[in-house]
Amino acid sequence: HDPMTASTHYDCIIVGGGVTGTALLYELARFTDLKRLLLVERRERPAQVSSHVHNNSQTIHCGDIETNYSLEKAAAVKRTASMIVNYATKLPARERDRIIHRMPKMVLGVGAAECQQLRERYATLSPHYSRLRLLEAKDIARIEPAVAYSNGNLRPDEIVALGSEDDYTAVNFEALARSFVRQARRCEGKDVEVQYNQRVRHIKVQGELFIVETNQTCFQARSIVVCAGGHSLKLAHDLGYGHHFSVLPVAGSYYFTPQVLNGKVYTVQNDKLPFAAIHGDPDVMVPGKTRWGPTALVLPVLERYNWETVKDFMRVFRFDRKVWDVLYDLLKVSDIRNYMLKNFLFEIPVLRRGIFLKDARKIVPDLKYRDLKFAHHVGGIRPQLIDKDHRRLMMGEAKIDTGIGAIFNMTPSPGATCCLENAEVDMRSVTGFLGAEVDEDAFARDLLVGDHRHDSADLPAHIITGADAA
């Protein structure tokens, strides 16, 4: 290579401009004394893959209605979710309202066993969530009539729900990522660069530096953080890390119906399944409709509807005896086997509406077959990791911190909700490695403390406008 000029030399390069990468760009620019930062993204603008508004559940997961979370996990997730709300509520109202949205949310129990489970869960969680309510059938009927009624009468099955009526519960992660980029670029005294249409081909170490080769040029940096979903693992392999992982890409599909729900309604999770139970909610970008899903299907691609990524998948799947053992162990569990078979049937056009309707009717008993429309080009890919050494499918966050100034993030769970906390972990790791400083006061002020002027719980009822309620 030609000797690099100062203009291609950075303190930190972030690969991947989804909500995870842009959150880190914002935190490094805003809260550290690092001067030269670069984000490279292979699309023409940020958040076009998993963080795209149509490719995720648009939910802020804060642990109160996620029945598969332990109390410890719920508490951890509550802190991370509040960081998004704290960030967004300090923005000008117009920008805030493009990012986060208020609406009711609940997790619905149907039948004696689920109702009992939710009552017990309420007793455990309510000391930690001041806004959480135990909603009996009459409360559900007031908030979500279509859930509580069937053919004009209260539905016959026992129902109870946990939820809240008016919280920031929905988020447009694409708009959030764009906001992070804008805020990072506004930081004074910093050289914050964002390069689009740059596909990273290869990463290597040269002396103290990382060399990042793209389809157009070469960059070098003292540290590097890769936030590129399943592609992160391929780049980790370049440096000799993460060979004990394989990627199992799980695609989510959705359906639309006319608007029957006012807010988000989740169902009780099956603990044996790593995937979200079905839910229905308003789509923040498609007014007048309720979105239902996700179904889950294993597909051999790293990006939904992009068949060019099959070859990338083959590189990171690295099928061998150990991967086979993990898949075989999964298929031995009847719940998982039946779930995978059913989700395969969900992809067969004529069958899928009928099968899905049965699941959706658990939430809204009066849904009709003709109401359901498959949502084309909605839904993304979540790369679940297989840990070959420990013979297991990994749930939740996966990160490889090499200790040499390179970090690789695979899709975390609960997904985009933890973008700011994940960025905090990486920010502390990068600054620790480079000997840089973090402005703890500014960090706490901006992200750990809420701006309660916007908290409708503190407003008289008549001030909460229709726009807020929507």
Side-chain angles (χ1 to χ4, degrees):
H1 294 293
D2 301 321
M4 305 264 174
T5 60
S7 65
T8 59
H9 189 300
Y10 299 90
D11 293 320
C12 184
I13 293 177
I14 300 163
V15 178
V19 78
T20 303
T22 54
L24 179 59
L25 182 73
Y26 159 71
E27 289 193 20
L28 289 175
R30 174 79 183 81
F31 305 119
T32 77
D33 55 356
L34 296 175
K35 291 284 187 278
R36 292 185 55 78
L37 304 169
L38 170 68
L39 176 83
V40 291
E41 162 57 42
R42 68 198 157 94
R43 297 299 189 89
E44 65 288 346
R45 54 184 186 275
Q48 294 304 293
V49 188
S50 299
S51 306
H52 188 279
V53 67
H54 293 310
N55 291 352
N56 51 68
S57 69
Q58 305 172 350
T59 300
I60 302 179
H61 292 287
C62 62
D64 51 356
I65 66 165
E66 287 76 21
T67 57
N68 56 327
Y69 290 1
S70 65
L71 180 58
E72 292 70 35
K73 167 106 178 185
V77 169
K78 181 184 176 192
R79 174 186 186 269
T80 138
S82 67
M83 290 168 87
I84 289 181
V85 177
N86 294 340
Y87 169 85
T89 48
K90 295 186 181 79
L91 296 168
R94 269 190 58 196
E95 193 175 350
R96 175 196 75 208
D97 293 344
R98 278 199 297 270
I99 296 172
I100 53 175
H101 305 266
R102 285 185 178 282
M103 60 182 70
K105 66 169 180 182
M106 63 178 70
V107 55
L108 176 71
V110 178
E114 287 187 0
C115 290
Q116 176 64 22
Q117 183 185 339
L118 289 188
R119 289 180 194 282
E120 289 168 9
R121 189 161 179 82
Y122 178 70
T124 307
L125 287 185
S126 55
H128 307 276
Y129 289 88
S130 60
R131 316 272 296 255
L132 188 64
R133 298 284 172 266
L134 183 65
L135 304 167
E136 301 291 349
K138 64 180 189 308
D139 306 308
I140 298 170
R142 180 172 50 79
I143 302 165
E144 297 288 4
V147 173
Y149 288 99
S150 176
N151 298 320
N153 300 309
L154 282 174
R155 62 196 279 182
D157 13 343
E158 185 186 345
I159 57 170
V160 76
L162 298 186
S164 57
E165 282 188 62
D166 181 33
D167 264 341
Y168 284 116
T169 55
V171 61
N172 177 340
F173 288 109
E174 186 182 347
L176 180 61
R178 287 200 302 266
S179 172
F180 287 148
V181 171
R182 278 196 300 276
Q183 296 294 333
R185 283 176 151 164
R186 283 185 192 145
C187 292
E188 288 177 15
K190 298 292 173 90
D191 185 354
V192 177
E193 248 184 87
V194 182
Q195 297 242 7
Y196 297 114
N197 301 305
Q198 293 273 10
R199 181 183 289 273
V200 174
R201 298 230 184 274
H202 197 62
I203 298 173
K204 63 183 185 190
V205 179
Q206 199 171 307
E208 302 270 285
L209 297 172
F210 295 96
I211 309 296
V212 178
E213 298 172 19
T214 73
N215 52 330
Q216 297 178 31
T217 183
C218 253
F219 302 104
Q220 55 180 351
R222 299 192 293 144
S223 64
I224 179 168
V225 182
V226 182
C227 309
H231 290 95
S232 293
L233 190 57
K234 177 186 157 294
L235 295 172
H237 289 165
D238 277 359
L239 292 187
Y241 292 90
H243 285 298
H244 61 296
F245 289 133
S246 173
V247 167
L248 190 69
V250 180
S253 296
Y254 290 86
Y255 293 79
F256 281 122
T257 65
Q259 186 173 352
V260 288
L261 296 175
N262 296 314
K264 292 178 175 284
V265 183
Y266 276 69
T267 49
V268 174
Q269 189 102 354
N270 176 342
D271 287 340
K272 292 200 179 77
L273 296 177
F275 312 113
I278 179 178
H279 53 90
D281 43 18
D283 187 306
V284 299
M285 295 300 275
V286 187
K289 295 262 193 276
T290 295
R291 188 169 78 153
W292 298 85
T295 63
L297 181 73
V298 174
L299 286 180
V301 287
L302 291 187
E303 205 174 292
R304 191 76 188 271
Y305 306 112
N306 180 355
W307 292 102
E308 286 175 16
T309 60
V310 171
K311 57 182 188 297
D312 298 328
F313 163 72
M314 295 313 292
R315 283 201 193 106
V316 291
F317 185 53
R318 300 163 61 108
F319 186 76
D320 59 16
R321 179 62 201 263
K322 287 178 171 175
V323 172
W324 166 250
D325 286 343
V326 173
L327 297 177
Y328 183 71
D329 288 347
L330 285 175
L331 289 169
K332 280 197 300 206
V333 181
S334 62
D335 289 49
I336 291 182
R337 196 169 59 239
N338 296 341
Y339 180 80
M340 288 171 93
L341 175 64
K342 183 164 123 183
N343 279 277
F344 178 69
L345 298 176
F346 278 143
E347 298 300 312
I348 301 171
V350 182
L351 276 177
R352 65 184 170 204
R353 270 204 293 173
I355 306 170
F356 190 79
L357 181 65
K358 190 165 163 264
D359 284 358
R361 277 183 175 159
K362 181 175 180 179
I363 297 177
V364 174
D366 290 350
L367 269 188
K368 305 281 186 290
Y369 181 80
R370 65 170 182 272
D371 295 335
L372 275 181
K373 299 274 183 293
F374 186 76
H376 290 282
H377 286 267
V378 171
I381 289 270
R382 170 167 289 192
Q384 297 282 160
L385 287 196
I386 292 173
D387 181 340
K388 300 202 282 195
D389 290 352
H390 297 98
R391 270 185 69 156
R392 66 194 176 100
L393 185 64
M394 290 174 64
M395 303 309 151
E397 298 87 325
K399 181 194 294 289
I400 300 170
D401 188 338
T402 61
I404 62 164
I407 300 171
F408 299 89
N409 288 298
M410 272 60 78
T411 308
S413 172
T417 298
C418 36
C419 60
L420 284 166
E421 187 175 67
N422 188 71
E424 179 192 356
V425 171
D426 290 351
M427 170 182 74
R428 296 188 185 286
S429 181
V430 167
T431 51
F433 179 76
L434 296 178
E437 298 289 322
V438 174
D439 182 341
E440 298 292 353
D441 292 343
F443 180 82
R445 196 170 54 240
D446 287 10
L447 297 182
L448 302 182
V449 181
D451 183 349
H452 295 295
R453 288 173 308 176
H454 300 299
D455 197 337
S456 68
D458 306 332
L459 295 177
H462 63 272
I463 297 181
I464 303 169
T465 64
D468 280 340

